mmCIF file of all heavy atoms in Angstrom:
data_model
loop_
_atom_site.group_PDB
_atom_site.id
_atom_site.type_symbol
_atom_site.label_atom_id
_atom_site.label_comp_id
_atom_site.label_asym_id
_atom_site.label_seq_id
_atom_site.Cartn_x
_atom_site.Cartn_y
_atom_site.Cartn_z
ATOM 1 N N THR A 509 295.362 115.448 -64.882
ATOM 2 C CA THR A 509 295.815 114.264 -64.085
ATOM 3 C C THR A 509 295.543 114.557 -62.663
ATOM 4 O O THR A 509 295.030 113.559 -61.950
ATOM 5 C CB THR A 509 297.303 114.055 -64.283
ATOM 6 O OG1 THR A 509 297.608 113.910 -65.779
ATOM 7 C CG2 THR A 509 297.796 112.781 -63.719
ATOM 8 N N PHE A 510 295.838 115.612 -62.131
ATOM 9 C CA PHE A 510 295.515 115.900 -60.752
ATOM 10 C C PHE A 510 294.083 115.744 -60.385
ATOM 11 O O PHE A 510 293.746 115.166 -59.411
ATOM 12 C CB PHE A 510 295.999 117.372 -60.415
ATOM 13 C CG PHE A 510 296.106 117.680 -58.853
ATOM 14 C CD1 PHE A 510 297.313 117.645 -58.287
ATOM 15 C CD2 PHE A 510 294.949 118.027 -58.218
ATOM 16 C CE1 PHE A 510 297.374 117.830 -56.841
ATOM 17 C CE2 PHE A 510 294.960 118.342 -56.868
ATOM 18 C CZ PHE A 510 296.236 118.242 -56.187
ATOM 19 N N GLN A 511 293.208 116.352 -61.233
ATOM 20 C CA GLN A 511 291.797 116.252 -60.906
ATOM 21 C C GLN A 511 291.275 114.887 -61.051
ATOM 22 O O GLN A 511 290.472 114.371 -60.255
ATOM 23 C CB GLN A 511 290.969 117.145 -61.897
ATOM 24 C CG GLN A 511 289.573 117.136 -61.612
ATOM 25 C CD GLN A 511 288.881 118.454 -62.161
ATOM 26 O OE1 GLN A 511 289.474 119.118 -63.028
ATOM 27 N NE2 GLN A 511 287.636 118.683 -61.806
ATOM 28 N N LYS A 512 291.861 114.004 -61.901
ATOM 29 C CA LYS A 512 291.477 112.622 -62.122
ATOM 30 C C LYS A 512 291.898 111.902 -60.819
ATOM 31 O O LYS A 512 291.019 111.009 -60.404
ATOM 32 C CB LYS A 512 292.093 112.126 -63.351
ATOM 33 C CG LYS A 512 291.904 110.640 -63.627
ATOM 34 C CD LYS A 512 292.602 110.040 -64.758
ATOM 35 C CE LYS A 512 292.377 108.603 -65.026
ATOM 36 N NZ LYS A 512 293.190 108.039 -66.149
ATOM 37 N N LEU A 513 293.001 111.996 -60.214
ATOM 38 C CA LEU A 513 293.434 111.193 -59.186
ATOM 39 C C LEU A 513 293.043 111.786 -57.894
ATOM 40 O O LEU A 513 292.861 110.962 -56.901
ATOM 41 C CB LEU A 513 295.063 111.153 -59.203
ATOM 42 C CG LEU A 513 295.581 110.431 -60.454
ATOM 43 C CD1 LEU A 513 297.144 110.327 -60.469
ATOM 44 C CD2 LEU A 513 295.060 109.045 -60.556
ATOM 45 N N VAL A 514 292.818 113.095 -57.705
ATOM 46 C CA VAL A 514 292.543 113.737 -56.393
ATOM 47 C C VAL A 514 291.036 114.014 -56.314
ATOM 48 O O VAL A 514 290.537 113.976 -55.205
ATOM 49 C CB VAL A 514 293.494 114.940 -56.145
ATOM 50 C CG1 VAL A 514 293.107 115.591 -54.775
ATOM 51 C CG2 VAL A 514 294.859 114.584 -56.260
ATOM 52 N N GLY A 515 290.373 114.254 -57.436
ATOM 53 C CA GLY A 515 288.913 114.532 -57.333
ATOM 54 C C GLY A 515 288.710 116.062 -57.339
ATOM 55 O O GLY A 515 287.570 116.410 -57.130
ATOM 56 N N MET A 516 289.803 116.946 -57.488
ATOM 57 C CA MET A 516 289.571 118.309 -57.508
ATOM 58 C C MET A 516 290.673 118.926 -58.228
ATOM 59 O O MET A 516 291.700 118.299 -58.345
ATOM 60 C CB MET A 516 289.378 118.857 -56.029
ATOM 61 C CG MET A 516 290.656 118.668 -55.132
ATOM 62 S SD MET A 516 290.409 119.341 -53.428
ATOM 63 C CE MET A 516 289.353 117.976 -52.863
ATOM 64 N N THR A 517 290.588 120.201 -58.507
ATOM 65 C CA THR A 517 291.674 120.900 -59.192
ATOM 66 C C THR A 517 292.810 121.242 -58.220
ATOM 67 O O THR A 517 292.503 121.284 -56.959
ATOM 68 C CB THR A 517 291.245 122.285 -59.777
ATOM 69 O OG1 THR A 517 290.706 123.126 -58.697
ATOM 70 C CG2 THR A 517 290.065 122.058 -60.807
ATOM 71 N N PRO A 518 294.030 121.519 -58.650
ATOM 72 C CA PRO A 518 295.194 121.915 -57.784
ATOM 73 C C PRO A 518 294.786 123.066 -56.992
ATOM 74 O O PRO A 518 295.158 123.186 -55.711
ATOM 75 C CB PRO A 518 296.316 122.090 -58.783
ATOM 76 C CG PRO A 518 296.051 121.326 -59.974
ATOM 77 C CD PRO A 518 294.530 121.362 -60.100
ATOM 78 N N SER A 519 294.193 124.014 -57.511
ATOM 79 C CA SER A 519 293.867 125.292 -56.788
ATOM 80 C C SER A 519 292.840 125.093 -55.650
ATOM 81 O O SER A 519 293.027 125.533 -54.610
ATOM 82 C CB SER A 519 293.366 126.435 -57.750
ATOM 83 O OG SER A 519 292.326 125.988 -58.386
ATOM 84 N N ALA A 520 291.803 124.179 -55.916
ATOM 85 C CA ALA A 520 290.771 123.863 -55.002
ATOM 86 C C ALA A 520 291.596 123.023 -53.782
ATOM 87 O O ALA A 520 291.180 123.122 -52.727
ATOM 88 C CB ALA A 520 289.739 122.982 -55.600
ATOM 89 N N TYR A 521 292.440 122.154 -54.183
ATOM 90 C CA TYR A 521 293.107 121.369 -53.086
ATOM 91 C C TYR A 521 293.917 122.354 -52.196
ATOM 92 O O TYR A 521 293.871 122.168 -51.002
ATOM 93 C CB TYR A 521 294.063 120.485 -53.880
ATOM 94 C CG TYR A 521 294.791 119.504 -52.773
ATOM 95 C CD1 TYR A 521 294.251 118.381 -52.273
ATOM 96 C CD2 TYR A 521 296.086 119.828 -52.411
ATOM 97 C CE1 TYR A 521 294.958 117.651 -51.302
ATOM 98 C CE2 TYR A 521 296.859 119.165 -51.495
ATOM 99 C CZ TYR A 521 296.243 118.035 -50.881
ATOM 100 O OH TYR A 521 296.849 117.213 -50.038
ATOM 101 N N ARG A 522 294.661 123.275 -52.804
ATOM 102 C CA ARG A 522 295.482 124.257 -52.083
ATOM 103 C C ARG A 522 294.538 125.080 -51.039
ATOM 104 O O ARG A 522 294.840 125.236 -49.931
ATOM 105 C CB ARG A 522 296.252 125.133 -53.003
ATOM 106 C CG ARG A 522 296.793 126.345 -52.270
ATOM 107 C CD ARG A 522 297.883 127.104 -53.139
ATOM 108 N NE ARG A 522 299.140 126.439 -53.059
ATOM 109 C CZ ARG A 522 300.170 126.792 -53.871
ATOM 110 N NH1 ARG A 522 299.995 127.812 -54.767
ATOM 111 N NH2 ARG A 522 301.395 126.330 -53.782
ATOM 112 N N LYS A 523 293.337 125.461 -51.563
ATOM 113 C CA LYS A 523 292.401 126.190 -50.759
ATOM 114 C C LYS A 523 291.847 125.441 -49.687
ATOM 115 O O LYS A 523 291.801 125.859 -48.494
ATOM 116 C CB LYS A 523 291.231 126.700 -51.719
ATOM 117 C CG LYS A 523 290.255 127.647 -50.988
ATOM 118 C CD LYS A 523 289.279 128.167 -51.861
ATOM 119 C CE LYS A 523 288.312 129.111 -51.244
ATOM 120 N NZ LYS A 523 287.224 129.590 -52.126
ATOM 121 N N LYS A 524 291.599 124.180 -50.013
ATOM 122 C CA LYS A 524 291.102 123.242 -48.929
ATOM 123 C C LYS A 524 292.181 122.986 -47.774
ATOM 124 O O LYS A 524 291.832 122.824 -46.698
ATOM 125 C CB LYS A 524 290.633 121.911 -49.546
ATOM 126 C CG LYS A 524 290.120 120.922 -48.432
ATOM 127 C CD LYS A 524 289.816 119.595 -49.200
ATOM 128 C CE LYS A 524 289.290 118.574 -48.103
ATOM 129 N NZ LYS A 524 289.038 117.223 -48.784
#
Side-chain angles (χ1 to χ4, degrees):
T509 304
F510 192 98
Q511 187 158 10
K512 177 183 177 182
L513 296 179
V514 182
M516 64 182 73
T517 64
S519 57
Y521 180 83
R522 168 170 276 176
K523 185 176 181 180
K524 180 183 177 183

